[in-house]
Amino acid sequence: MTEAILLVGGKGTRLRPLTVHTPKPMVRAAGVPFLTHQLARAKAAGVDHIVLATSYLAEVFEPYFGDGSSLGLHIEYVTEDEPLGTGGAIRNVASRLHSAPDDPVLVFNGDILTGLDIRRLVTTHQETAADVSLHLTKVTDPRAYGLVPTDGTGRVLAFLEKPETPEEIVTDQINAGAYVFRRSVIDTIPQGRPVSVERETFPGLLAAGAHLQGMVDSTYWLDLGTPAAFVRGSADLVLGRAPSPAVPGRCGDRLILPTARVAADAKLTGGTVVGEGAFVAEGARVFGSTILPGAVIEPGAVITDSLIGTRARIGERSVLTGTVIGDGAVVGPDNELREGARVWCDARIPAGAVRFSSDQ
């Protein structure tokens, strides 16, 4: 296997305001755009040619990654004029592939952080002579996902979208968002219109008698679709819980990027990242959070499980837990923001304006 398709066209609606100015795969996780981790893991698995299927803010990708040579890859870019869905995006880039009809092509979503053994998935695909092979993972509560029951040999039996009743939960195996396609199968996807692989392509192949193989790999897996998940994923990369050869430094309690400044008595733990040019002042405490480049954390601020956007500022003694602060926003001193709060880009919160406890 030498080729892969990365689906990076989504708008990242659930991640806003992180994705107002930045496409989801380019939001920084553990100090680098999340996409960097996926590219590095594909390279480590033997991939050398990758086609990025882009759409939203497509102009951001190529200036950063170029032709991919800095990563030891050859990267090409294909932009959708209109969103085509997962299947439509795969079909839209097919002309850029060089593989022979029976060769395997790796396909994966741009918002999944996983420790998947990619080589094992490809080997499973080849040994079973499958038309498509899917990475499956087991989850405790599968209601929010597409269920994929298999027989004793791993052959896929059905695709069941987001069960609504207990009777519909026939397995804890879900579609984990990474696939190996036989090259010729990609050409059977309809061209020029939106297509969902989950709802149309895979069920259609199954109905036509194609061989779809599931491989359960229950190593680290996280859908980074929500702010809380994204912050957790970044921290897990820094802590070494999620594997990636692209983390720019040693794994540990914190990652401080070059040109960042951290006061001697500031406390950073839990996989916290401080981006380039950011400043964490004296007495600040930051746990499990991402401080993006150019952000300022003023004295005595306490930040937990949060993401602070580029050039944002958090005032003295403000306490943030489970929050997202957009690029350029300013949270004045003595504010309290709790789980789920999102402050939009360039917003201004005056001193002591938002609290969950007395100001005395």
Side-chain angles (χ1 to χ4, degrees), residues 214-272:
M215 187 196 82
V216 176
D217 185 324
S218 295
T219 54
Y220 186 98
W221 184 87
L222 185 64
D223 178 350
L224 300 185
T226 67
F230 201 97
V231 170
R232 177 183 155 200
S234 177
D236 284 348
L237 283 162
V238 174
L239 292 165
R241 294 172 181 165
S244 171
V247 176
R250 295 177 60 185
C251 291
D253 240 12
R254 63 185 190 173
L255 176 64
I256 302 173
L257 277 292
T259 72
R261 294 180 297 135
V262 177
D265 66 343
K267 187 175 182 180
L268 311 178
T269 58
T272 288

Side-chain angles (χ1 to χ4, degrees), residues 123-342:
T123 299
T124 297
H125 175 81
Q126 293 171 324
E127 289 179 347
T128 59
D131 295 299
V132 182
S133 296
L134 299 86
H135 170 208
L136 307 179
T137 193
K138 294 178 180 289
V139 295
T140 304
D141 184 358
R143 288 175 297 177
Y145 304 98
L147 308 188
V148 186
T150 55
D151 68 12
T153 68
R155 189 160 183 154
V156 173
L157 300 175
F159 291 90
L160 308 172
E161 279 302 312
K162 297 181 180 178
E164 296 180 359
T165 65
E167 292 74 25
E168 292 179 292
I169 302 176
V170 297
T171 180
D172 58 355
Q173 296 175 177
I174 66 164
N175 177 356
Y179 321 112
V180 178
F181 276 75
R182 186 191 302 272
R183 169 68 183 86
S184 58
V185 173
I186 293 175
D187 291 329
T188 68
I189 300 173
Q191 193 168 13
R193 68 168 176 85
V195 179
S196 164
V197 291
E198 300 86 356
R199 292 176 174 83
E200 182 176 346
T201 304
F202 293 157
L205 287 169
L206 207 58
H211 179 181
L212 278 70
Q213 185 74 20
M215 187 196 82
V216 176
D217 185 324
S218 295
T219 54
Y220 186 98
W221 184 87
L222 185 64
D223 178 350
L224 300 185
T226 67
F230 201 97
V231 170
R232 177 183 155 200
S234 177
D236 284 348
L237 283 162
V238 174
L239 292 165
R241 294 172 181 165
S244 171
V247 176
R250 295 177 60 185
C251 291
D253 240 12
R254 63 185 190 173
L255 176 64
I256 302 173
L257 277 292
T259 72
R261 294 180 297 135
V262 177
D265 66 343
K267 187 175 182 180
L268 311 178
T269 58
T272 288
V273 183
V274 184
E276 296 91 338
F279 174 56
V280 180
E282 59 272 12
R285 290 179 287 153
V286 187
F287 177 85
S289 297
T290 295
I291 313 300
L292 291 182
V296 174
I297 312 301
E298 294 187 353
V302 180
I303 300 172
T304 304
D305 298 336
S306 298
L307 192 146
I308 311 304
T310 302
R311 303 178 312 282
R313 178 178 290 268
I314 308 302
E316 295 181 63
R317 299 174 302 281
S318 281
V319 178
L320 279 62
T321 303
T323 63
V324 173
I325 309 301
D327 297 341
V330 176
V331 177
D334 300 307
N335 281 289
E336 293 178 354
L337 301 177
R338 290 190 179 176
E339 283 84 355
R342 306 185 191 207

Side-chain angles (χ1 to χ4, degrees), residues 106-127:
L106 176 69
V107 179
F108 50 113
N109 290 326
D111 56 0
I112 300 296
L113 177 59
T114 176
L116 167 68
D117 185 338
I118 297 172
R119 290 182 185 272
R120 180 170 159 245
L121 180 63
V122 175
T123 299
T124 297
H125 175 81
Q126 293 171 324
E127 289 179 347

